[in-house]
Short mmCIF file of all heavy atoms in Angstrom, two decimals:
data_model
loop_
_atom_site.label_atom_id
_atom_site.label_comp_id
_atom_site.label_asym_id
_atom_site.label_seq_id
_atom_site.Cartn_x
_atom_site.Cartn_y
_atom_site.Cartn_z
N VAL A 134 -21.46 11.37 -14.49
CA VAL A 134 -21.88 9.99 -14.23
C VAL A 134 -20.65 9.09 -14.15
O VAL A 134 -20.51 8.29 -13.21
CB VAL A 134 -22.86 9.50 -15.32
CG1 VAL A 134 -23.21 8.03 -15.12
CG2 VAL A 134 -24.12 10.36 -15.31
N ARG A 135 -19.77 9.20 -15.12
CA ARG A 135 -18.53 8.41 -15.10
C ARG A 135 -17.71 8.74 -13.87
O ARG A 135 -17.20 7.85 -13.18
CB ARG A 135 -17.70 8.70 -16.35
CG ARG A 135 -16.31 8.05 -16.32
CD ARG A 135 -15.41 8.62 -17.41
NE ARG A 135 -14.09 8.06 -17.33
CZ ARG A 135 -13.12 8.49 -16.54
NH1 ARG A 135 -13.37 9.51 -15.70
NH2 ARG A 135 -11.93 7.92 -16.54
N ASP A 136 -17.57 10.03 -13.56
CA ASP A 136 -16.73 10.45 -12.43
C ASP A 136 -17.24 9.87 -11.11
O ASP A 136 -16.45 9.43 -10.27
CB ASP A 136 -16.69 11.98 -12.35
CG ASP A 136 -15.94 12.62 -13.51
OD1 ASP A 136 -15.26 11.88 -14.25
OD2 ASP A 136 -16.06 13.85 -13.68
N ARG A 137 -18.55 9.86 -10.92
CA ARG A 137 -19.10 9.34 -9.66
C ARG A 137 -18.92 7.83 -9.59
O ARG A 137 -18.59 7.29 -8.52
CB ARG A 137 -20.57 9.71 -9.53
CG ARG A 137 -21.21 9.24 -8.24
CD ARG A 137 -20.50 9.81 -7.02
NE ARG A 137 -21.09 9.31 -5.78
CZ ARG A 137 -20.40 8.83 -4.76
NH1 ARG A 137 -19.08 8.78 -4.81
NH2 ARG A 137 -21.02 8.42 -3.67
N ALA A 138 -19.12 7.13 -10.70
CA ALA A 138 -18.93 5.68 -10.71
C ALA A 138 -17.48 5.32 -10.41
O ALA A 138 -17.21 4.41 -9.61
CB ALA A 138 -19.35 5.10 -12.06
N VAL A 139 -16.55 6.04 -11.01
CA VAL A 139 -15.13 5.79 -10.75
C VAL A 139 -14.78 6.09 -9.30
O VAL A 139 -14.00 5.36 -8.67
CB VAL A 139 -14.26 6.64 -11.71
CG1 VAL A 139 -12.79 6.61 -11.29
CG2 VAL A 139 -14.41 6.14 -13.15
N GLN A 140 -15.36 7.13 -8.75
CA GLN A 140 -15.12 7.48 -7.35
C GLN A 140 -15.56 6.36 -6.42
O GLN A 140 -14.84 6.01 -5.47
CB GLN A 140 -15.85 8.78 -7.00
CG GLN A 140 -15.60 9.25 -5.57
CD GLN A 140 -16.40 10.50 -5.24
OE1 GLN A 140 -17.42 10.80 -5.84
NE2 GLN A 140 -15.91 11.26 -4.28
N VAL A 141 -16.71 5.77 -6.68
CA VAL A 141 -17.19 4.67 -5.83
C VAL A 141 -16.27 3.46 -5.94
O VAL A 141 -15.96 2.81 -4.94
CB VAL A 141 -18.64 4.28 -6.21
CG1 VAL A 141 -19.07 3.03 -5.45
CG2 VAL A 141 -19.59 5.44 -5.91
N VAL A 142 -15.81 3.15 -7.14
CA VAL A 142 -14.86 2.04 -7.32
C VAL A 142 -13.58 2.31 -6.55
O VAL A 142 -13.03 1.41 -5.89
CB VAL A 142 -14.57 1.82 -8.82
CG1 VAL A 142 -13.44 0.81 -9.01
CG2 VAL A 142 -15.82 1.34 -9.55
N ASP A 143 -13.09 3.53 -6.61
CA ASP A 143 -11.88 3.89 -5.85
C ASP A 143 -12.11 3.75 -4.35
O ASP A 143 -11.22 3.29 -3.62
CB ASP A 143 -11.45 5.33 -6.18
CG ASP A 143 -10.83 5.46 -7.56
OD1 ASP A 143 -10.45 4.41 -8.13
OD2 ASP A 143 -10.73 6.59 -8.07
N GLU A 144 -13.28 4.14 -3.89
CA GLU A 144 -13.61 4.00 -2.46
C GLU A 144 -13.60 2.54 -2.04
O GLU A 144 -13.18 2.21 -0.93
CB GLU A 144 -14.97 4.65 -2.17
CG GLU A 144 -14.95 6.17 -2.26
CD GLU A 144 -16.35 6.77 -2.25
OE1 GLU A 144 -17.34 5.98 -2.24
OE2 GLU A 144 -16.46 8.01 -2.27
N TRP A 145 -14.07 1.66 -2.90
CA TRP A 145 -14.07 0.22 -2.63
C TRP A 145 -12.63 -0.29 -2.48
O TRP A 145 -12.31 -1.02 -1.55
CB TRP A 145 -14.81 -0.51 -3.74
CG TRP A 145 -14.57 -2.00 -3.81
CD1 TRP A 145 -14.03 -2.69 -4.85
CD2 TRP A 145 -14.91 -2.99 -2.82
NE1 TRP A 145 -14.00 -4.02 -4.57
CE2 TRP A 145 -14.53 -4.24 -3.33
CE3 TRP A 145 -15.49 -2.91 -1.56
CZ2 TRP A 145 -14.71 -5.43 -2.62
CZ3 TRP A 145 -15.66 -4.09 -0.84
CH2 TRP A 145 -15.28 -5.32 -1.37
N LEU A 146 -11.78 0.11 -3.39
CA LEU A 146 -10.37 -0.30 -3.30
C LEU A 146 -9.73 0.24 -2.03
O LEU A 146 -8.91 -0.45 -1.39
CB LEU A 146 -9.61 0.18 -4.53
CG LEU A 146 -9.89 -0.59 -5.83
CD1 LEU A 146 -9.25 0.10 -7.02
CD2 LEU A 146 -9.40 -2.03 -5.71
N ARG A 147 -10.09 1.46 -1.63
CA ARG A 147 -9.55 2.02 -0.38
C ARG A 147 -10.01 1.21 0.83
O ARG A 147 -9.27 1.05 1.80
CB ARG A 147 -9.98 3.48 -0.22
CG ARG A 147 -9.55 4.44 -1.29
CD ARG A 147 -8.06 4.70 -1.36
NE ARG A 147 -7.39 3.74 -2.21
CZ ARG A 147 -7.42 3.76 -3.55
NH1 ARG A 147 -8.10 4.68 -4.19
NH2 ARG A 147 -6.76 2.86 -4.24
N GLN A 148 -11.24 0.68 0.76
CA GLN A 148 -11.72 -0.18 1.85
C GLN A 148 -10.85 -1.43 1.97
O GLN A 148 -10.47 -1.84 3.07
CB GLN A 148 -13.18 -0.58 1.59
CG GLN A 148 -14.20 0.51 1.78
CD GLN A 148 -14.58 0.72 3.24
OE1 GLN A 148 -14.31 -0.11 4.10
NE2 GLN A 148 -15.22 1.84 3.52
N LEU A 149 -10.56 -2.05 0.84
CA LEU A 149 -9.70 -3.23 0.85
C LEU A 149 -8.31 -2.90 1.37
O LEU A 149 -7.74 -3.62 2.19
CB LEU A 149 -9.61 -3.82 -0.56
CG LEU A 149 -10.91 -4.37 -1.18
CD1 LEU A 149 -10.66 -4.81 -2.61
CD2 LEU A 149 -11.46 -5.53 -0.36
N GLU A 150 -7.76 -1.79 0.88
CA GLU A 150 -6.41 -1.40 1.29
C GLU A 150 -6.34 -1.10 2.78
O GLU A 150 -5.37 -1.48 3.46
CB GLU A 150 -5.95 -0.17 0.50
CG GLU A 150 -5.67 -0.44 -0.97
CD GLU A 150 -5.48 0.83 -1.76
OE1 GLU A 150 -5.17 1.88 -1.15
OE2 GLU A 150 -5.64 0.80 -3.00
N ALA A 151 -7.36 -0.43 3.31
CA ALA A 151 -7.37 -0.10 4.74
C ALA A 151 -7.40 -1.37 5.58
O ALA A 151 -6.70 -1.47 6.60
CB ALA A 151 -8.58 0.78 5.06
N ALA A 152 -8.19 -2.35 5.16
CA ALA A 152 -8.25 -3.61 5.90
C ALA A 152 -6.90 -4.33 5.83
O ALA A 152 -6.45 -4.92 6.83
CB ALA A 152 -9.35 -4.50 5.33
N ILE A 153 -6.26 -4.29 4.69
CA ILE A 153 -4.94 -4.92 4.54
C ILE A 153 -3.92 -4.24 5.44
O ILE A 153 -3.13 -4.92 6.13
CB ILE A 153 -4.49 -4.86 3.06
CG1 ILE A 153 -5.38 -5.78 2.20
CG2 ILE A 153 -3.02 -5.25 2.93
CD1 ILE A 153 -5.23 -5.56 0.71
N ARG A 154 -3.93 -2.93 5.47
CA ARG A 154 -2.96 -2.22 6.31
C ARG A 154 -3.22 -2.49 7.80
O ARG A 154 -2.27 -2.60 8.59
CB ARG A 154 -3.02 -0.72 6.02
CG ARG A 154 -2.47 -0.36 4.65
CD ARG A 154 -2.17 1.13 4.50
NE ARG A 154 -1.49 1.39 3.25
CZ ARG A 154 -2.09 1.69 2.10
NH1 ARG A 154 -3.42 1.79 2.07
NH2 ARG A 154 -1.40 1.90 1.00
N ASP A 155 -4.48 -2.60 8.18
CA ASP A 155 -4.79 -2.96 9.57
C ASP A 155 -4.27 -4.36 9.88
O ASP A 155 -3.73 -4.61 10.96
CB ASP A 155 -6.29 -2.88 9.82
CG ASP A 155 -6.80 -1.46 9.90
OD1 ASP A 155 -5.97 -0.54 10.04
OD2 ASP A 155 -8.04 -1.25 9.82
N ALA A 156 -4.44 -5.28 8.93
CA ALA A 156 -3.95 -6.65 9.12
C ALA A 156 -2.42 -6.66 9.22
O ALA A 156 -1.85 -7.45 9.99
CB ALA A 156 -4.42 -7.54 7.98
N GLN A 157 -1.77 -5.79 8.47
CA GLN A 157 -0.31 -5.69 8.57
C GLN A 157 0.10 -5.16 9.95
O GLN A 157 1.05 -5.67 10.56
CB GLN A 157 0.23 -4.77 7.47
CG GLN A 157 0.20 -5.39 6.09
CD GLN A 157 0.68 -4.45 5.01
OE1 GLN A 157 0.21 -3.31 4.90
NE2 GLN A 157 1.61 -4.90 4.18
#
Side-chain angles (χ1 to χ4, degrees):
V134 176
R135 173 193 177 276
D136 292 348
R137 181 59 182 133
V139 169
Q140 183 183 23
V141 173
V142 172
D143 286 344
E144 290 168 356
W145 164 241
L146 286 171
R147 300 293 88 76
Q148 288 279 345
L149 296 175
E150 290 169 21
I153 291 167
R154 291 196 172 91
D155 286 346
Q157 287 178 308

